[in-house]
Amino acid sequence: MRVGFVGSRGMVGSVLLDRMVTCGDLAGIEMTLFSTSNAGGDAPNIGNVAPALGDANCSAALSESDIVLTCQGGDYTNKMLPRLRADGWHGLWIDASAAMRMNDDTMLVLDPVNGESLIEGLRGGVRNFAGANCTVSLMLMAMSGLI
């Protein structure tokens, strides 16, 4: 599995990447870290990650990924995802921004609240996923046990 991670140097991305490393989530995947502002710079040494940061504005480079995980922001998503899809990319786009949350072709990621629905969505061909609003996510995880 080839994963492209965009935005690993920002607040959300760096925390997510650190958690992925700590939890061993990088095992068995080939990851490339992409940057919008430091392409070609050194990537952090965290195991099986390409040594240099890829160019996050290069759709050809991104399209080599089976999954693109982005913590870059809505403007980036609104620019790059349509470009990739128009070029025929059929990979999974997983987004931390609000850009796609209300789109009909996007599932909100609220695992463990909707883990089974996410699996069904993957089986059914869903390719776009977005994190829900932080406050709503925390509230739903707490309330799901009560419901």
Side-chain angles (χ1 to χ4, degrees), residues 5 12-26 111:
F5 191 121
V12 173
S14 63
V15 170
L16 177 58
L17 185 59
D18 182 58
R19 184 171 189 274
M20 292 172 74
V21 169
T22 301
C23 293
D25 294 337
L26 301 181
D111 188 42

Side-chain angles (χ1 to χ4, degrees), residues 27-47:
I29 66 170
E30 177 186 328
M31 182 177 277
T32 301
L33 301 179
F34 288 90
S35 175
T36 58
S37 61
N38 193 29
D42 292 337
N45 184 8
I46 55 173

Side-chain angles (χ1 to χ4, degrees), residues 13-14 62 71 114 122:
S14 63
L62 283 174
C71 299
N114 69 339
L122 284 167

